[in-house]
Amino acid sequence: MHDKPRILRTTTVARTRLFQVETVDLRFGNGAEVRYERLRNTTPGAVLIVPVRDDGQVLLIREYAVGTERYELGLPKGRIEPDEDPLTTAGRELMEEVGCGARSLEPLATLTVAPGYFGHLTHLVLARDLYPARRPGDEPEPIEVVPWPLARLDALLQRDDFTEARSIAALFLARERLHPPHFEEETPHP
Amino acid sequence: MHDKPRILRTTTVARTRLFQVETVDLRFGNGAEVRYERLRNTTPGAVLIVPVRDDGQVLLIREYAVGTERYELGLPKGRIEPDEDPLTTAGRELMEEVGCGARSLEPLATLTVAPGYFGHLTHLVLARDLYPARRPGDEPEPIEVVPWPLARLDALLQRDDFTEARSIAALFLARERLHPPHFEEETPHP
């Protein structure tokens, strides 16, 4: 293990409505000095929800993504408000984006998206025991809900509109939690 | 399916060494007009490599990440140079970061990290049939290589320094490619 680098100075170099860029001057344990750029965290992070119906269908959403300029399939998500618990955010966003509530909300994992450039955390939440419930959201057009059988994750991964690393990781993690796989080399069958 | 929104105008609002932020004015199919902010792509994307040894160990790296201000375990990765093929980038970065070459390099998937804010693509590459080979990199301190058995992915996911969505998705996808799992509900055994 290396000694942790020491931060010598941080300087904000750009600030827009959503983004804040700063430079960070660092000294590594071996004396090397480096200047990095990173996006500064200005929010408490986000939740990404895996809503699974009793019949094993995951409720995906299809939404326009301006970063890639196309409609993307993915999981419902939302920003955590200041002082809000991630499970509360998950329950709220599920009602706004999918039109259902969940009697069971359980944390699955906490992910980073690009830790070299961004400290942003995404809390994955497994939502089960769903019931119809809608809260108004702030989307410019209605979000399309697309049920997809979790058992057919392989076919979903073949689609070129299902590409977001967090959604892919979340579905694998949910599948592990709900149906731990059996590998041939680990559990040989007669 | 909705009609695709029409981009009315894009305006660069900040530019730093690494980041470029732009506003995008959009008109949705229903007439709603919205202004979004996104990070502009200034590079051809990145590769993330899953190097698997013949004994089933994945070669992870431990590296300081200034976004989260801690050492993170993850997969070797790097930026694609202009006009470079992703498999070429993968071979080069593997030598620089891990100290080995790969006789087999195969595409696994192409991921996005946050399509609502960023069009950046990451090409996942499975690297096998490894051999010792080192190229000098530009890291401020030597990168620590951490072999980890792919069969113990569950234990890796418990660690709080292995959190990057792309690395998690990549290891699940590599495991599916190398050892397709058998689920009890799909393939009942006597």
Side-chain angles (χ1 to χ4, degrees), chain B residues 34-52:
Chain B
V34 182
R35 172 170 290 182
Y36 290 122
E37 275 191 8
R38 68 180 180 191
L39 293 172
R40 214 182 136 194
N41 284 341
T42 52
T43 69
V47 296
L48 192 81
I49 309 138
V50 189
V52 184

Side-chain angles (χ1 to χ4, degrees), chain A residues 2-4 16-18 30 37-38 65-67 69 71 111-112 115 119 140 142 151 163 165 175-176 183-185, chain B residues 2-4 16-18 30 37-38 65-67 69 71 111-112 115 119 140 142 163 165 175-176 179 182-183 186:
Chain A
H2 300 289
D3 283 344
K4 205 170 169 176
T16 69
R17 188 171 61 84
L18 289 188
N30 62 7
E37 275 191 9
R38 68 181 180 190
V66 75
E69 296 185 14
Y71 283 86
L111 305 186
T112 56
T163 61
R175 195 180 72 173
E176 299 274 304
F183 290 93
E184 284 195 342
E185 66 269 56
Chain B
H2 300 288
D3 283 344
K4 204 170 170 177
T16 70
R17 187 170 61 85
L18 289 188
N30 61 7
E37 275 191 8
R38 68 180 180 191
V66 76
E69 296 184 15
Y71 282 88
L111 305 186
T112 56
T163 62
R175 196 180 70 172
E176 299 273 304
H179 309 287
H182 296 267
F183 290 93
E186 285 171 16

Side-chain angles (χ1 to χ4, degrees), chain B residues 140-170:
Chain B
E141 64 183 2
I143 292 176
E144 188 184 353
V145 176
V146 180
W148 193 282
L150 188 53
R152 295 308 316 281
L153 178 52
D154 54 340
L156 183 58
L157 294 167
Q158 299 305 315
R159 293 181 62 106
D160 57 12
D161 59 352
F162 182 77
T163 62
E164 192 184 351
R166 287 179 295 179
S167 288
I168 294 172

Side-chain angles (χ1 to χ4, degrees), chain B residues 3-187:
Chain B
D3 283 344
K4 204 170 170 177
R6 198 153 74 84
I7 293 180
L8 305 174
R9 187 176 32 248
T10 64
T11 310
T12 298
V13 292
R15 194 192 302 258
T16 70
R17 187 170 61 85
L18 289 188
F19 300 101
Q20 199 168 320
V21 182
E22 63 185 10
T23 58
V24 184
D25 294 313
L26 278 185
R27 184 181 299 132
F28 279 85
N30 61 7
E33 295 195 4
V34 182
R35 172 170 290 182
Y36 290 122
E37 275 191 8
R38 68 180 180 191
L39 293 172
R40 214 182 136 194
N41 284 341
T42 52
T43 69
V47 296
L48 192 81
I49 309 138
V50 189
V52 184
R53 290 199 315 217
D54 292 346
D55 65 359
Q57 306 258 337
V58 181
L59 301 178
L60 304 175
I61 60 170
R62 180 182 281 120
E63 207 176 11
Y64 182 74
V66 76
T68 51
E69 296 184 15
R70 64 186 185 199
Y71 282 88
E72 302 271 353
L73 267 183
L75 289 164
K77 54 177 174 285
R79 258 180 253 171
I80 300 171
E81 300 294 332
D83 301 318
E84 195 177 40
D85 176 83
L87 295 182
T88 307
T89 313
R92 183 171 52 70
E93 291 288 343
L94 196 56
M95 289 188 191
E96 290 177 11
E97 298 198 339
V98 179
C100 63
R103 291 187 191 88
S104 160
L105 291 165
E106 84 191 77
L108 261 182
T110 300
L111 305 186
T112 56
V113 290
Y117 300 99
F118 198 21
H120 186 269
L121 296 180
T122 302
H123 301 268
L124 306 186
V125 177
L126 181 61
R128 286 184 287 178
D129 206 345
L130 309 177
Y131 58 91
R134 164 131 349 243
R135 279 173 61 126
D138 55 358
E139 284 72 25
E141 64 183 2
I143 292 176
E144 188 184 353
V145 176
V146 180
W148 193 282
L150 188 53
R152 295 308 316 281
L153 178 52
D154 54 340
L156 183 58
L157 294 167
Q158 299 305 315
R159 293 181 62 106
D160 57 12
D161 59 352
F162 182 77
T163 62
E164 192 184 351
R166 287 179 295 179
S167 288
I168 294 172
L171 288 189
F172 275 116
L173 290 166
R175 196 180 70 172
E176 299 273 304
R177 175 75 58 98
L178 297 171
H179 309 287
H182 296 267
F183 290 93
E184 285 194 343
E185 66 269 57
E186 285 171 16
T187 52

Side-chain angles (χ1 to χ4, degrees), chain A residues 23-99:
Chain A
T23 57
V24 184
D25 294 313
L26 279 184
R27 184 181 299 131
F28 279 85
N30 62 7
E33 294 195 5
V34 182
R35 172 169 289 183
Y36 290 122
E37 275 191 9
R38 68 181 180 190
L39 293 172
R40 213 181 137 196
N41 283 342
T42 52
T43 68
V47 296
L48 192 82
I49 309 138
V50 188
V52 183
R53 291 199 315 217
D54 293 347
D55 65 359
Q57 306 258 337
V58 180
L59 300 178
L60 305 175
I61 60 170
R62 180 182 281 121
E63 208 177 10
Y64 182 74
V66 75
T68 51
E69 296 185 14
R70 64 187 186 199
Y71 283 86
E72 302 270 354
L73 267 183
L75 289 163
K77 56 177 175 284
R79 260 181 251 170
I80 300 171
E81 300 294 332
D83 301 318
E84 196 177 40
D85 177 84
L87 295 183
T88 307
T89 313
R92 184 170 51 71
E93 292 287 344
L94 196 57
M95 289 188 192
E96 291 176 9
E97 299 198 338
V98 179

